[in-house]
Amino acid sequence: MMNLEINEAPPRSGLESYLHVLHALMLRDMRTRFGASIWGYGVVVLWPCVHVFALISIYTFQKIPAPLGDNRALFFATGAVPVLVFQYISREVMKSVMMNRPLTYYPQVKLFDLVFSRILVEIVTGFLALLVVTSVLLVIGTNPV
C-alpha cells in the first residue's frame, strides 16, 4: 500500500488571520463599490477634487474674493478637502454597516472588522484625493505649504 503524505498549511496566528479577513473585506469593498476596473476607483478619488475645483471656479467667475486670505484655491483646498474627506468617511462607514451586515454571519467577520476595513479604504482614498489636489495646486503655481 502506498503512503501518501499530505502537506497541510501551517496554522495561522490570530493576527495573521485577522489581517487576512481585513484584506478580504477591503478587496470585496473595493470590487463591489468601484467595479473591477481602476477607473471606478479613480472616479471616487477625483470626487473631492471636482468639488474643490467647482468651488474655486464659481468664486473666480463670480469675482468673489476668498473669505480668508487672498488665494481662493488655497482657501478651498485647505478647508474643503478635509471636510469632504471626513464627510465621505463617515457616510461610507455608516453605509458599510448597513450594506454588509450579512457578512457578520461568518464567524471570522465582526462588525468592527466591517467598519475598520471601510475606514482604511476611505482614508487611502482621501489621501490620494489630497495628493491630487496638492499636485494641481503646485501645477497652477500655488504653494499649498
Side-chain angles (χ1 to χ4, degrees), residues 84-135:
L84 289 171
V85 168
F86 175 76
Q87 286 177 344
Y88 293 157
I89 289 173
S90 61
R91 181 180 58 229
E92 292 301 323
V93 166
M94 294 311 295
K95 281 177 25 183
S96 78
V97 170
M98 292 183 298
M99 303 289 285
N100 295 321
R101 177 136 344 239
L103 289 175
T104 59
Y105 295 146
Y106 293 109
Q108 300 91 346
V109 180
K110 307 289 183 251
L111 191 60
F112 177 78
D113 301 337
L114 295 175
V115 170
F116 190 58
S117 66
R118 181 67 64 103
I119 286 173
L120 290 176
V121 169
E122 290 301 318
I123 285 174
V124 169
T125 303
F127 182 72
L128 290 174
L130 180 65
L131 285 178
V132 170
V133 169
T134 303
S135 301

Side-chain angles (χ1 to χ4, degrees), residues 130-143:
L130 180 65
L131 285 178
V132 170
V133 169
T134 303
S135 301
V136 171
L137 287 177
L138 288 171
V139 167
I140 64 173
T142 300
N143 184 7

Side-chain angles (χ1 to χ4, degrees), residues 6-142:
I6 298 174
N7 291 332
E8 292 183 18
R12 292 186 182 173
S13 69
L15 178 63
E16 191 176 7
S17 294
Y18 182 70
L19 292 176
H20 186 70
V21 167
L22 277 180
H23 182 253
L25 287 172
M26 290 170 65
L27 286 177
R28 181 189 181 280
D29 185 31
M30 292 175 74
R31 283 275 169 116
T32 57
R33 285 179 50 217
F34 312 131
S37 77
I38 194 154
W39 298 110
Y41 188 69
V43 167
V44 173
V45 169
L46 292 177
W47 270 121
C49 306
V50 170
H51 284 130
V52 168
F53 293 114
L55 286 170
I56 293 169
S57 301
I58 290 168
Y59 270 63
T60 301
F61 291 129
Q62 294 287 328
K63 296 185 177 152
I64 301 171
L68 186 63
D70 58 348
N71 192 336
R72 293 178 197 98
L74 189 60
F75 175 78
F76 286 117
T78 57
V81 171
V83 169
L84 289 171
V85 168
F86 175 76
Q87 286 177 344
Y88 293 157
I89 289 173
S90 61
R91 181 180 58 229
E92 292 301 323
V93 166
M94 294 311 295
K95 281 177 25 183
S96 78
V97 170
M98 292 183 298
M99 303 289 285
N100 295 321
R101 177 136 344 239
L103 289 175
T104 59
Y105 295 146
Y106 293 109
Q108 300 91 346
V109 180
K110 307 289 183 251
L111 191 60
F112 177 78
D113 301 337
L114 295 175
V115 170
F116 190 58
S117 66
R118 181 67 64 103
I119 286 173
L120 290 176
V121 169
E122 290 301 318
I123 285 174
V124 169
T125 303
F127 182 72
L128 290 174
L130 180 65
L131 285 178
V132 170
V133 169
T134 303
S135 301
V136 171
L137 287 177
L138 288 171
V139 167
I140 64 173
T142 300

